[in-house]
Amino acid sequence: MPSGPVITIDGPAGSGKSTVARKLAARLGIAFLDTGAMYRALALKMLERKLDPTDEEALLEMTRQADLQVDCGPTHQRIKLDGRDVSEAIRTMEVSRATPAIARQPKIREVLVEHQRRIGRHLGAFVTEGRDQGTVAFPDADVKFVLDADVHTRVERRLIDLRADGEDVRPQDVLANLQTRDEGDKSRWAALLEPGQAIIIDTTEMSLGEVVDALEIAVRQHTQSKEASSK
Ligand code: DC
């Protein structure tokens, strides 16, 4: 098991976190963990079971019983829910809309954060992305990033992804969904905006390659300075 680096990427939906995390991990040859997929898988289960999104007890019980298997490596992540691969099924707008009902439950978050830490201990070195990775799940991470972008740019990026998946969605619906999710999510990573807490990158005017380059340089600088100070 490799030990470190642990790299966290937090920020709002549509800022490019998943794509960047995946590419950065591939370049560094370590696994990437998309924690949003875990929240999405539980939202899918809630929808399929037709559970009441306001019934905290029922949702917690559902979470405790869910068998979530996350298989992650440098170039792939697959997620299984109760033995079924749901990696594609969790990407619909319907699931995106349902996910805040899961993400706002503190007890469900505790269960998922514990699960993420177990995965992290097993992996040793990894890039993880979500909304609370540098704050709650892995506060001792080696390098912490926040990726942000103007809301209209984020809407455009989400539209491209959803349409590529064959979903017929309207920009105003994507905007409303992003704004609702941002409201609840930002409190989980806002502490990273304090000076010295994280490297903050506004990706609005940057290409994907430029963002990945910037993160890779920062990680390599961190590794070099760690090696130099241990000599
Ligand atoms: O990154 P994403 O769009 O796949 O995330 C799905 C939802 O899960 C999003 O509304 C925020 C939530 N989430 C969270 O609360 N904490 C995380 N660590 C990851 C995602």
Side-chain angles (χ1 to χ4, degrees), residues 29-48:
I30 58 180
F32 80 91
L33 175 61
D34 166 2
T35 61
M38 301 167 82
Y39 289 86
R40 286 170 175 272
L42 292 178
L44 177 68
K45 185 162 180 161
M46 173 184 82
L47 290 170
E48 289 181 345

Side-chain angles (χ1 to χ4, degrees), residues 10-14 17-18 34-40 90-91 95-96 99-100 102-104 109 112-113 116 128-133 137 158 177-178 180-182 184-185 188:
D10 292 293
K17 295 186 307 297
S18 317
D34 166 2
T35 61
M38 301 167 82
Y39 289 86
R40 286 170 175 272
I90 58 172
R91 298 291 159 198
V95 173
S96 295
T99 308
I102 299 293
R104 68 172 161 251
R109 300 194 69 85
L112 289 187
V113 165
Q116 290 154 16
T128 179
E129 65 101 348
R131 306 298 191 289
D132 55 354
Q133 297 301 284
R158 267 286 141 114
N177 175 253
L178 286 188
T180 313
R181 290 201 285 153
D182 284 355
D185 292 343
R188 307 188 213 294

Side-chain angles (χ1 to χ4, degrees), residues 47-62:
L47 290 170
E48 289 181 345
R49 294 260 178 110
K50 298 192 172 28
L51 294 178
D52 175 355
T54 63
D55 188 342
E56 294 182 18
E57 280 308 311
L59 294 180
L60 183 59
E61 192 49 33
M62 175 200 82

Side-chain angles (χ1 to χ4, degrees), residues 16 28 31 48-49 72 85-86 90 92 108-109 111 115 122 142 145-146 150 163 177 221 231:
L28 299 172
E48 289 181 345
R49 294 260 178 110
C72 42
D85 191 324
V86 294
I90 58 172
T92 63
I108 295 183
R109 300 194 69 85
V111 174
H115 194 157
H122 175 71
D142 295 280
F145 294 101
V146 170
D150 164 87
R163 287 178 177 159
N177 175 253
Q221 277 172 349
K231 272 181 192 156

Side-chain angles (χ1 to χ4, degrees), residues 15-16 19-24 27 147 157 201-218:
S15 58
T19 317
V20 169
R22 185 168 295 137
K23 292 202 177 284
L24 178 67
R27 284 199 195 174
L147 291 195
R157 292 179 185 165
I201 299 185
D202 184 332
T203 70
T204 308
E205 303 288 341
M206 294 170 81
S207 70
L208 175 60
E210 286 170 339
V211 180
V212 183
D213 285 347
L215 269 64
E216 186 184 0
I217 289 168

